[in-house]
Amino acid sequence: KAKSTMPSLMFRDAPIKSFIVTKEDKIMSARQTSFASLAPKEQKKQEDWAQKKIKEIGACPEQYDWERADQGGWSGFICNEGRHAMLDQHLEEGLGALIVLEKK
């Protein structure tokens, strides 16, 4: 059986609680991976929602804030320390997977 390249996909059948709980969460999560194609006003709403969800799940182990990042073929958020990332796909899935980056 092939292993997934996306950490969040490896746990799809595990009993992990989704942070997508409201109707708004369902709408916003569904359009997270389309961030780049949204109008600027809608991008602001989308980023505000994503930042709120990231804070709710306490994603950065060092408690840093997060910045939007669209680079190198992926898009999502990087903590201000530059050590952790969360892809738009992770937010869309509602599982909040965290990627640990190499120290610069």
Side-chain angles (χ1 to χ4, degrees):
K1 188 173 180 179
K3 288 187 176 182
S4 170
T5 57
M6 293 297 296
S8 58
L9 297 179
M10 293 189 306
F11 299 104
R12 188 166 300 282
D13 297 326
I16 298 172
K17 186 177 178 182
S18 173
F19 59 74
I20 299 171
V21 293
T22 68
K23 184 178 178 181
E24 179 192 24
D25 290 343
K26 289 177 185 175
I27 292 167
M28 299 302 274
S29 67
R31 61 187 215 165
Q32 187 63 37
T33 55
S34 301
F35 183 88
S37 66
L38 298 173
K41 188 175 181 179
E42 293 302 308
Q43 284 183 342
K44 172 73 171 116
K45 285 184 197 175
Q46 194 68 34
E47 181 165 354
D48 289 348
W49 173 83
Q51 290 281 2
K52 176 182 161 196
K53 288 298 165 184
I54 290 170
K55 283 184 186 352
E56 281 179 14
I57 61 175
C60 180
E62 280 89 25
Q63 306 304 312
Y64 285 93
D65 287 330
W66 294 76
E67 290 184 21
R68 179 92 194 144
D70 297 293
Q71 58 188 8
W74 65 271
S75 60
F77 294 84
I78 296 179
C79 77
N80 287 336
E81 185 189 23
R83 296 282 320 279
H84 308 101
M86 185 178 295
L87 303 180
D88 284 336
Q89 181 178 348
H90 297 145
L91 290 163
E92 179 182 52
E93 293 171 352
L95 302 178
L98 186 68
I99 297 171
V100 178
L101 304 172
E102 288 186 28
K103 245 186 182 177
K104 293 180 180 182

